[in-house]
Structure formats: structure tokens, C-alpha cells
Amino acid sequence: MVDIDGGSGSPTPRKRADARRNEEALLDAAAAAFVASGVDVPVRDIAARAGVGVGTIYRHFPTRADLIVAVYRHQVEACAEAGPALLANSATPHAALARWIDLFVDFLVTKHGLAEALRSNDAAFETLHAYFLDRLVPVCVRLLDAAATAGEILPDVNAYELLRGVGNLCIGAENDPRYDARRMVALLIAGLRLH
């Protein structure tokens, strides 16, 4: 299948819908395996979870770094796409913001081993942090602006600082069963409200 690229006349290949669904299922299976066992989980475990052969994974993602990057980007996209949907379907902008931050926390606390992988010397990971910021900060800005315009939160909240603060509250949450990062983040978000 070929898609004509926005008027430039140059054809670019586009995956069939079933191929995209299969790849998404594989990425979801890999993400679940990463949550359960960390990013070093054996590829055969990911393949079994996805219901495919190991060769299928390597055909799509030749290296573990390729798979980690794809899972990370897939989850960043899901988080980014959730923001506008929550804003459109929530009772208030603050409720949308709180739910989106909750999804962001899920994203952060389920990244077993990702921080170490991102600090490695693998070139595949170099652009991930910028990608993360480029996709998620504007979504947070939109949610914050909507909540501020509605008079629900303080008007001068910086999206980057908020996401950084949430991230800091999530550090180590997976290693300490006595620490509830979600509760601490909920207190932070509640503190944004105008009373």
C-alpha cells in the first residue's frame, strides 16, 4: 500500500491496518512483559505473551534497543493522545488534568529498568528524552490552560516543572512498598486547585 506524501508526490510506504494492529499487540505484550520483569525480560517471554514466534519480534525489532524504543514511543503516544480525549470527555478540565497525570504516573512507575537503559551508551536511546518532552509537555500545557481558564487551578503552573515534579515523586516507587507515589502525586494535583 502506498500513501502520497502531502502533495510532494513522493510515495511513502504505509503499513496495512492488520500489520499495524499486530505491531501494536506486540508492543503491548512487550510493555506488559517489561512491567512484570523489566526491560531485560527474555525475548521468548515477550513472544509467548504476544502469541508470536521470536523471529517475528526480531523481524520488527532487530535489537532489544529497537524494541525498547518502540515500546517507549508507543506508550508516549498513548499518553499524549489521552490528553485531548480526557479534556473532551471529563466533567471538568481539572478532572481531565488529574486523570491524565494519573496516566502519566502509570507510565513512569512501570518503566522497570528503562532509566538504566536510557543512560546506556546505545545511540538508539539518545533522542527519547527529547521525544518524551516534545510530545507530553504540550499536552500538559493544554490541560493546565483549560483548567486555569475555567478558574479551577492557579494560572501560572509551568507544565515542564509539573511533569518534572511528578517524575521526582515517582522515583523509586516500584522498590518501596511503603511509598505510594500515586497518593503523593494526587496531593500535588489537589494543591493546584483554587479553593
Side-chain angles (χ1 to χ4, degrees):
M1 189 174 276
V2 173
D3 186 31
I4 301 300
D5 181 26
S8 70
S10 62
T12 56
R14 187 175 65 186
K15 290 183 181 180
R16 293 186 340 247
D18 61 334
R20 284 193 309 273
R21 280 191 303 274
N22 291 341
E23 187 172 312
E24 284 184 16
L26 199 152
L27 292 173
D28 290 339
F34 291 170
V35 168
S37 304
V39 296
D40 292 324
V41 63
V43 172
R44 68 181 173 276
D45 292 357
I46 296 169
R49 193 180 284 260
V52 300
V54 172
T56 300
I57 292 178
Y58 285 120
R59 190 169 42 258
H60 289 282
F61 311 104
T63 69
R64 179 174 298 274
D66 293 332
L67 179 61
I68 292 169
V69 168
V71 167
Y72 184 86
R73 285 178 172 267
H74 179 64
Q75 292 187 317
V76 167
E77 285 304 313
C79 194
E81 291 168 5
L86 287 168
L87 196 53
N89 298 312
S90 296
T92 67
H94 183 270
L97 173 65
R99 181 65 189 119
W100 187 78
I101 292 292
D102 202 38
L103 292 173
F104 181 64
V105 169
D106 286 343
F107 173 80
L108 294 176
V109 299
T110 60
K111 298 294 166 275
H112 304 300
L114 183 61
E116 291 80 18
L118 292 176
R119 285 192 292 270
S120 76
N121 291 327
D122 195 316
F125 300 126
E126 287 179 8
T127 61
L128 279 182
H129 187 69
Y131 175 76
F132 172 87
L133 293 176
D134 289 347
R135 289 296 289 137
L136 297 183
V137 169
V139 174
C140 190
V141 166
R142 184 173 173 196
L143 290 161
L144 288 169
D145 287 349
T149 299
E152 295 180 309
I153 67 167
L154 302 167
D156 59 349
V157 179
N158 178 287
Y160 174 79
E161 290 173 351
L162 177 63
L163 293 180
R164 180 82 189 245
V166 169
N168 287 341
L169 288 172
C170 293
I171 292 173
E174 70 275 3
N175 298 324
D176 186 352
R178 298 173 301 157
Y179 177 64
D180 185 354
R182 189 171 311 283
R183 181 174 178 276
M184 295 309 298
V185 170
L187 290 171
L188 172 66
I189 300 306
L192 296 177
R193 287 202 81 136
L194 292 172
H195 301 283

